Amino acid sequence: MKKIAILNCLKANQNCSGNGCFKALNERSGGFEPYKDEEVEVTAFTRCSNCGKTTDEDEGMKKKLDRIADVGTETVHIGVCARAKDGTHCRFMQSHADYLESRGVEVIWKTHAAH
Ligand code: SF4
C-alpha cells in the first residue's frame, strides 16, 4: 500500500474542486500511473496556507507538511496549478517541496495532465 498526498496552489481553490486530481488518481493516469497495480492510501489533500510565503516564513504550512511526513506519507504529488505556463515551479511551492524532501518524502510535480 502506497501512502501519498496531494498538494496544490491555494489560488486554485477559487475555482478548483480537486476533481481533476482525484479523477487521475482513480484512473491511475497522469502522475498516478506508477500505481496502476497498487493500492493507494491518500493521507492528505491540502493547499498552501498562504500565498507568497516560504515554508520557513509560514508556521502553519510547516505544521501541515510535518504532519504529512509524520503519518508516513511516501510521496507527495504537486498539481499543475503550482507551475507557470512555461513549466517553472512556483518558488514558494518549491520551498515546500524542498522541505518535504528534507523530511524524506519523495515529491513528484504531477497529478493530472495540464488542461
Ligand atoms: S505560493 Fe505558489 S503555489 Fe502557493 S498559493 Fe501562491 S502561487 Fe499558488
Side-chain angles (χ1 to χ4, degrees):
M1 170 96 69
K2 184 89 178 178
K3 279 189 165 190
I4 69 159
I6 297 170
L7 182 55
N8 284 329
C9 173
L10 178 65
K11 289 181 187 169
N13 198 31
Q14 303 280 333
N15 59 9
C16 172
S17 68
N19 172 259
C21 289
F22 281 100
K23 186 170 184 288
L25 174 61
N26 291 331
E27 292 172 348
R28 298 290 196 271
S29 62
F32 305 108
E33 212 178 329
Y35 316 130
K36 222 164 32 192
D37 302 314
E38 209 174 347
E39 278 196 54
V40 166
E41 179 183 327
V42 180
T43 60
F45 179 83
T46 194
R47 294 180 162 109
C48 295
S49 298
N50 295 284
C51 183
K53 285 190 175 183
T54 63
T55 316
D56 284 340
E57 295 166 339
D58 190 336
E59 204 55 44
M61 189 65 195
K62 190 179 254 183
K63 203 171 170 185
K64 294 200 295 191
L65 299 174
D66 280 333
R67 179 74 180 151
I68 286 170
D70 289 345
V71 298
T73 308
E74 297 164 79
T75 304
V76 169
H77 289 259
I78 297 178
V80 69
C81 51
R83 281 188 274 146
K85 280 192 169 50
D86 66 359
T88 315
H89 297 173
C90 164
R91 70 183 180 95
F92 303 106
M93 185 63 94
Q94 183 67 59
S95 74
H96 306 328
D98 292 344
Y99 184 72
L100 284 166
E101 285 177 343
S102 79
R103 294 278 335 255
V105 180
E106 177 190 35
V107 173
I108 294 177
W109 287 78
K110 193 170 186 182
T111 57
H112 58 80
H115 298 299

